[in-house]
Amino acid sequence: MSLIVDHISKSYGKIQALAEVSFTVDDNLIFGLIGPDGAGKTTLYRIIATLLLPDDGVVRLNDHDVVREFRKIRKMVGYMPGRFSLYQDLTVEENLAFYARVFGTTIQENYYLIRNIYSHIEPFRKRRAGNLSGGMKQKLALSCALIHKPSLLILDEPTTGVDAVSRKEFWDMLGKLKEYGITILVSTAYMDEAERCDRIALIQEGRILSVNHPEVIIQEYERELCSIHSDDLYRLVIDLRAYPMTNAAFLFGQHVHFNQKDGHLNIPELEKYLQSRQHTNVSIVKIKPGIEDCFVELEAYDKRK
């Protein structure tokens, strides 16, 4: 199974959602599309799933064009949208049986694919889908997307609004699905989830910033980075951004991640500057970058081009 996305563009009126997006996905991988809300993730996934027509460009799945051969593509793809879209007035069991019949299969035929997922909600199979918790709705939607044994599974921000424990469980389940030869496309706004993917594409404002293995993207981050904390976090951000040597200073929890224009940190000078601005209990610690740091750096570089 191979997916080729070749110079895909899409606009809604004057708003350009995607701008010549290109990448390829090899089989049996978890490929993550990482970016904030409004970056174009859902638009791209809807095009790949044959639910939306691109303005320009081509998408091919196993040498099939998603526009001209959409009927074939729909049998090959399982799609789980960001919003829960199953029938709320049908039970868990009825929803799953319905989707199996739509694709000409049965629950029994492909039960092995969903066993580890569906077993969590099978005790509630007589409950209406609209009465399920967020985590249970997520598992039901994933089961329905898998029941026809797709070669490509598309998951649009599947962990949004889900508690941390359910998020971890979900990613563990995705790892097991690879054993059945299913290629997984997943989008998320959670940067920490990027490291659970085999390859990722960072996307912002409809443009691809980078495509590579997560660890390679991190290795390509060249600047020294530090984490800074003081008693007045709000004023710390303002003062750091006013510092003449600042390249980037952005909030990261209760700290500010900071790097300098020349790529090297001068911590003594930085401490002296913050003392002159009357900051107290200042802590400056050199750290290794994460995916979010790389995203911020690549975004800034893209805007400078």
Side-chain angles (χ1 to χ4, degrees):
M1 205 289 308
S2 63
L3 174 70
I4 299 172
V5 178
D6 187 13
H7 291 86
I8 289 294
S9 296
K10 179 68 179 179
S11 296
Y12 300 102
K14 295 181 179 180
I15 299 174
Q16 187 164 33
L18 297 171
E20 297 189 350
V21 169
S22 297
F23 59 82
T24 60
V25 181
D26 295 328
D27 61 346
N28 202 29
L29 293 180
I30 298 179
F31 185 95
L33 192 61
I34 315 297
D37 292 342
K41 302 186 299 295
T42 296
T43 295
L44 180 57
Y45 278 4
R46 286 175 64 83
I47 290 172
I48 296 171
T50 78
L51 301 175
L52 193 65
L53 293 173
D55 295 335
D56 293 295
V58 176
V59 177
R60 299 185 67 83
L61 177 61
N62 282 356
D63 292 326
H64 297 293
D65 186 285
V66 300
V67 175
R68 295 198 305 269
E69 302 175 88
F70 67 92
R71 287 187 177 88
K72 289 182 180 179
I73 296 294
R74 288 178 181 176
K75 294 179 181 179
M76 300 163 61
V77 171
Y79 177 55
M80 180 176 161
R83 293 182 61 185
F84 185 71
S85 59
L86 302 183
Y87 294 99
Q88 308 254 8
D89 55 342
L90 295 184
T91 66
V92 167
E93 190 175 52
E94 289 168 342
N95 266 291
L96 191 58
F98 171 78
Y99 278 89
R101 284 197 298 272
V102 165
F103 286 100
T105 186
T106 64
I107 296 174
Q108 292 73 25
E109 184 177 353
N110 293 322
Y111 186 76
Y112 72 96
L113 266 179
I114 66 169
R115 181 185 293 109
N116 291 331
I117 304 161
Y118 189 64
S119 61
H120 294 269
I121 57 174
E122 196 164 14
F124 309 98
R125 62 186 180 276
K126 300 298 183 182
R127 182 178 296 182
R128 290 189 178 185
N131 296 329
L132 297 175
S133 67
M136 292 171 70
K137 284 181 177 178
Q138 176 200 61
K139 292 179 177 67
L140 175 58
L142 181 57
S143 296
C144 290
L146 282 168
I147 198 59
H148 64 294
K149 195 181 178 181
S151 56
L152 177 66
L153 179 64
I154 301 175
L155 308 174
D156 190 3
E157 299 198 354
T159 57
T160 299
V162 177
D163 64 87
V165 173
S166 295
R167 281 176 60 193
K168 183 183 182 303
E169 286 180 352
F170 189 83
W171 278 95
D172 290 342
M173 289 186 289
L174 293 188
K176 292 176 182 176
L177 287 176
K178 288 173 54 182
E179 298 173 6
Y180 298 108
I182 297 174
T183 301
I184 301 169
L185 287 186
V186 58
S187 66
T188 180
Y190 298 120
M191 298 291 172
D192 61 301
E193 293 184 346
E195 296 180 23
R196 301 292 298 266
C197 301
D198 298 306
R199 283 173 62 86
I200 60 173
L202 302 181
I203 185 170
Q204 172 68 316
E205 296 180 349
R207 299 172 62 87
I208 296 294
L209 304 178
S210 181
V211 181
N212 217 319
H213 301 283
E215 60 271 20
V216 173
I217 290 177
I218 291 173
Q219 289 169 5
E220 290 175 346
Y221 189 96
E222 297 179 344
R223 298 178 188 274
E224 292 182 338
L225 183 70
C226 68
S227 175
I228 306 176
H229 178 78
S230 79
D231 287 336
D232 191 337
L233 198 60
Y234 175 73
R235 192 163 57 85
L236 177 63
V237 175
I238 294 174
D239 287 341
L240 284 173
R241 289 177 178 172
Y243 183 52
M245 294 301 295
T246 297
N247 175 66
F250 64 98
L251 277 171
F252 196 98
Q254 293 299 308
H255 296 77
V256 178
H257 283 198
F258 171 89
N259 61 40
Q260 295 190 185
K261 292 176 180 177
D262 61 1
H264 300 286
L265 292 171
N266 190 332
I267 292 178
E269 285 297 320
L270 187 55
E271 287 175 332
K272 187 184 300 183
Y273 169 74
L274 293 176
Q275 288 172 3
S276 73
R277 304 299 297 173
Q278 284 79 52
H279 284 277
T280 56
N281 292 324
V282 174
S283 168
I284 303 176
V285 180
K286 291 182 71 171
I287 59 172
K288 294 181 179 180
I291 289 294
E292 188 164 353
D293 300 298
C294 298
F295 185 92
V296 171
E297 182 71 13
L298 289 166
E299 181 186 17
Y301 174 77
D302 186 65
K303 288 181 178 178
R304 289 195 298 268
K305 288 195 298 184

